[in-house]
Amino acid sequence: MARIAFILLCHKDPEAIIQQAERLTAAGDYMAIHFDASAKPEYFDQIRTALKDNPNVVFARKRVKCGWGEWSLVQATLNAVETAVDAFPRATHFYMLSGDCMAIKSAEYTHEFLDREDCDYIESFDYFDSDWIKTGWKEERLVYRHWFNERTQKKRFYWMFNAQKRLGLTREIPSDIQVMIGSQWWCLRRRTIEWILNFTRERKDVMRFFRTTWIPDETFFQTLVRHLVPESEIQSRTLTFLMFTDYGMPVVFYNDHYDMLLSQDFLFARKISPEATELKARLGALYAAENVDFKISNEGRSLFKFLAGRGRIGRRFATRFWETESTLGRERELMIIVCKKWHVAKRLLHRIRQITNIPAIEYLFNEESTQLPDLGGIQSTLGKRTRHRRALMRMLFDYYETDRLIVCMDPNNIDLLHDFSGDRSTTRLLEVQCQFTDDFLIGHAKRVGLAGEQTPRETLERLLPTIRQDITFEIDRIRDANFENHNRIREADSPEENAESIAQFLSITNDKAREIAETDHLFAD
């Protein structure tokens, strides 16, 4: 039966590492741990103390400081592998893991899987002919020497690269080596591991070459396995399920991914979120289980690609409960009061509430402090309100149990006006045209941060024409949009004239509209 020596590279989360080691070795397997020499010493001491009495756990005899993209990651792996080979003579397979990996099959299933075929599992594609590298450097990783870490010593890294490039200091790849590339998460047979260790001692030229390549953990073992092992004994795949986003970042798995992970044709998965405590507990118990029947569907990657693509057009997963329709409702009326002077619109809205029973809300898309009912968090910020504008409106209609609702908006909300006017519901606009004195415009400039209390009068006077033109531009955009059901009231018009527009806007009698239009000091600043 297969006996696995897990090669664990880690640098944090000591409790998780201890649990992982205890779970995997409890099934009769082994583990060799390399804990990053640059990580917190107290973490390493905690792990050693907790596992010191476990005969199936050993620690790499020599620890190195690891850095992304560096040879140090390969060296750390080799150090752990050498320790495991000496410590566990009964190990038949050596499996690379990280602290973020967890088993997604039982130990029983895992051992039977490895016993089925005498082969090595490692992704290894031709470095130059494959499209494994999607973006960025390709040949540059190999033909130039990289001594510095690109993330921690960026200036030195690129200075050295550019200097070599200017001087034409390229190098040849060892002539008998075909460079391969693939995932660093492999599972290799004992014989293959022993061949690799012998190769590292005999071929100093190849070791010198790889030590100064960039991101060698994606090429070193992949190349050597293809060089040393017959092709018929290699499965060019990883047994660790992992996915990457379009931005090259690893997909992280959470509690609700349990069933999906178990259905994949893999033995382990990474990355498991540190916060996914329920997922970790369930997967931990799974490894010790017996007679588990796994239904392999293997849809994980295609499902992620599909859902990620739908997410770009706003249709990822099923619609949430507030997004079951794309319209406010054909039978509903949304009435929008558009006014630059917010205090005038609020005064008007207050009077409308007194005269009618129509629910009315102030500047919900402009003022964070606008009083709104608790709608499950969608109303909590201006960003959420704007992003989920139609959903928010539907929920407000439902909350007030009405088919008619009034809201206030600033004239600069032209996108919102277009959106709501394009809905299958009925949208009505009441534009409140006010006169703007210089004092009002100065106050407006201070409210929006264009001016302060100490701004000189001359500066304000130079600013006033621009502010006035900006307001005129916003109003012109609304007029040019030719919205249906667009009514206007004007500060310069009589209450009788304004009452007619208010009556049309609210669908009320002229008498009630006249009461609203005659509101005391309606347009006063």
Side-chain angles (χ1 to χ4, degrees), residues 18 21-22 33 44-59:
I18 293 167
E22 290 175 341
I33 299 174
F44 184 55
D45 293 339
Q46 181 181 347
I47 296 169
R48 285 184 67 96
T49 301
L51 299 175
K52 62 183 176 62
D53 295 326
N54 189 327
N56 286 3
V57 175
V58 294
F59 295 87

Side-chain angles (χ1 to χ4, degrees), residues 364-381:
L364 73 168
F365 294 109
N366 303 100
E367 287 187 303
E368 195 100 49
S369 59
T370 298
Q371 292 298 312
L372 291 170
D374 187 354
L375 302 174
I378 193 174
Q379 83 294 339
S380 59
T381 66

Side-chain angles (χ1 to χ4, degrees), residues 1-17:
M1 184 182 76
R3 300 287 294 274
I4 308 168
F6 293 103
I7 309 301
L8 179 65
L9 266 57
C10 49
H11 66 282
K12 60 180 180 179
D13 203 353
E15 287 88 0
I17 293 167

Side-chain angles (χ1 to χ4, degrees), residues 111-135:
H111 295 147
E112 290 176 358
F113 181 95
L114 294 177
D115 282 335
R116 285 179 210 157
E117 192 170 354
D118 186 22
C119 66
D120 297 306
Y121 296 91
I122 182 169
E123 275 189 353
S124 54
F125 305 101
D126 186 274
Y127 187 90
F128 294 101
D129 292 341
S130 71
D131 64 346
W132 205 86
I133 299 176
K134 304 297 184 184
T135 60

